[in-house]
Amino acid sequence: MKTIARAAALIVAAALGLLGGHAIAQDEADDGAIITDTHRFQPLADGVYLALYTVPRFFNSNSLVVINDDGVLVVDSHITPNAAKELIAGIGQITDKPITTLVYTHFHYDHAHGTQAFGDVQIIGHEFTHATMAGDPLNEPTFQQWLSGQNRAVPWLEGQIESAETDEQREQLETSLSAAKAHLAHVGGITPVPPDTTLSDRLTLYRGDREIQVIFCGRAHTGGDVVVYLPADKLVYTGDMAFRGPSFLGDGFVDEWPATLMKLKELDVDMYVPGHGPPFTDSERLDIVAAYYRDLWDQVVAVRADGANAGEAFRRVDLTAHADTLGIRQPGADPTAVARIYQLLNERGE
């Protein structure tokens, strides 16, 4: 970025996901999806929906909704209690069955900070997730980094309103500012809730005729990622452990992640449903991403051994060999990912 203003704009876009327009409310889309003011519930299998947050100004995770004989299981609770209330209201438009079970794929704020809105439900997560959320999750570095971006967005928007050249620009900015302040107020009301039921490896639930497996395949995006596997539907919800491309690596176990993805690939699956973005069906994407993680790890280890610090290393890494598969066409790497690899190596004394 060549100017402070453009850099600030990037901060705001990342913090708020600023997009124009408003969510459209209707009963059902042409493809069978249920549309509410805040969500799109995309049917994936009988009684199984991917809940996509459609409020245009805010970052959030997906959720999985599984409607069973006597109740509903939800995977991931969204970013704030307010967003969770909107999710719960949307589920109420699909079924009158109560929500009885919530599963955390991992501890990150956008997946687990809405839980208090669910009330008295069973909450399932990995032992690592319990330890993190029962500790001090509001001071956890990844959450604090995101919150810092949210807080910087407000004064930036106020400055942009003062310098707006047209009434239309000013009105759009004022709408964004109001939304940003409201979102920060919702964030301020978060009380993290740790899981009350934990697993170290695998937990199988039976809800009527439906089998639901909660599986830890290994460390990856965090130390406690789990996937939710529906064997009869050949569908797995992966949270942020598996996308079509690389995930955020700031809390990741980069060298262990490829083996975790290969363990995931052993499941009999026709559809992978990630914690952000649309589902995908090509299991070869797991191989492609695993190869990227291996290459990134090996290159950073080599550059570090050559004496470079983390601030230098991210510029020296060259991942353009993945141009055809992941679209990487410029040398360099994400500084956060490189810093995480340095942290892991330092902790291990390597």
Side-chain angles (χ1 to χ4, degrees):
M1 292 296 176
K2 295 182 179 180
T3 68
I4 294 175
R6 289 181 65 195
L10 183 61
I11 290 170
V12 172
L16 298 179
L18 288 175
L19 300 170
H22 301 276
I24 299 173
Q26 60 186 58
D27 291 332
E28 187 171 329
D30 292 340
D31 62 358
I34 306 299
I35 309 297
T36 72
D37 287 337
T38 58
H39 285 78
R40 175 186 177 89
F41 292 89
Q42 178 181 341
L44 303 178
D46 185 21
V48 181
Y49 294 84
L50 172 61
L52 297 158
Y53 196 61
T54 56
V55 176
R57 288 182 174 81
F58 299 117
F59 172 70
N60 202 355
S61 72
N62 295 339
S63 291
L64 189 73
V65 178
V66 184
I67 302 173
N68 303 303
D69 289 351
D70 298 323
V72 180
L73 178 144
V74 176
V75 186
D76 288 344
S77 67
H78 278 357
I79 194 167
T80 63
N82 184 69
K85 289 176 183 177
E86 294 168 339
L87 171 64
I88 293 165
I91 294 171
Q93 294 187 35
I94 302 173
T95 179
D96 58 3
K97 295 177 181 179
I99 298 171
T100 61
T101 311
L102 177 67
V103 180
Y104 292 142
T105 57
H106 60 294
F107 72 84
H108 279 164
Y109 60 93
D110 52 318
H111 296 257
H113 280 189
T115 299
Q116 68 203 71
F118 282 81
D120 186 17
V121 301
Q122 181 186 25
I123 307 170
I124 298 170
H126 191 268
E127 293 169 352
F128 179 92
T129 299
H130 179 276
T132 304
M133 296 192 69
D136 192 11
L138 294 180
N139 284 312
E140 185 271 325
T142 297
F143 174 70
Q144 281 296 314
Q145 181 181 18
W146 171 81
L147 184 59
S148 176
Q150 295 283 306
N151 285 316
R152 291 197 301 273
V154 170
W156 182 86
L157 286 166
E158 289 172 340
Q160 293 299 300
I161 290 170
E162 291 181 3
S163 60
E165 296 180 355
T166 67
D167 290 341
E168 182 180 6
Q169 288 177 346
R170 186 174 295 103
E171 182 179 349
Q172 290 176 347
L173 288 164
E174 287 173 345
T175 299
S176 295
L177 177 62
S178 177
K181 288 181 175 180
H183 192 51
L184 281 170
H186 296 314
V187 171
I190 292 170
T191 301
V193 183
D196 55 46
T197 304
T198 64
L199 66 143
S200 60
D201 180 42
R202 181 187 298 255
L203 177 67
T204 302
L205 308 173
Y206 295 94
R207 298 293 188 263
D209 294 332
R210 193 190 301 277
E211 178 182 347
I212 305 170
Q213 296 182 17
V214 185
I215 304 170
F216 175 68
C217 295
R219 298 197 294 186
H221 181 63
T222 72
D225 299 280
V226 299
V227 300
V228 178
Y229 176 44
L230 307 180
D233 299 308
K234 296 187 176 183
L235 178 156
V236 63
Y237 186 82
T238 64
D240 291 358
M241 185 246 279
F243 295 141
R244 285 181 51 85
S247 183
F248 170 70
L249 281 75
D251 293 314
F253 293 82
V254 185
D255 56 332
E256 299 177 39
W257 208 326
T260 300
L261 291 176
M262 294 307 99
K263 186 73 172 178
L264 173 64
K265 196 177 177 184
E266 293 175 5
L267 299 177
D268 185 11
V269 170
D270 289 338
M271 182 183 295
Y272 298 89
V273 186
H276 299 273
F280 62 97
T281 58
D282 181 7
S283 65
E284 294 305 308
R285 299 305 304 182
L286 304 183
D287 297 288
I288 289 168
V289 175
Y292 168 86
Y293 291 150
R294 292 189 193 100
D295 191 10
L296 173 63
W297 177 270
D298 290 344
Q299 287 199 45
V300 172
V301 168
V303 170
R304 179 174 176 269
D306 195 39
N309 61 38
E312 300 166 343
F314 81 90
R315 296 185 178 90
R316 292 175 56 180
V317 170
D318 186 348
L319 298 162
T320 55
H322 305 273
D324 291 342
T325 54
L326 294 173
I328 300 171
R329 307 194 184 280
Q330 299 293 330
D334 175 12
T336 302
V338 173
R340 173 59 174 169
I341 294 173
Y342 269 65
Q343 179 188 8
L344 290 170
L345 292 168
N346 290 337
E347 289 175 351
R348 298 170 188 175
E350 297 181 16

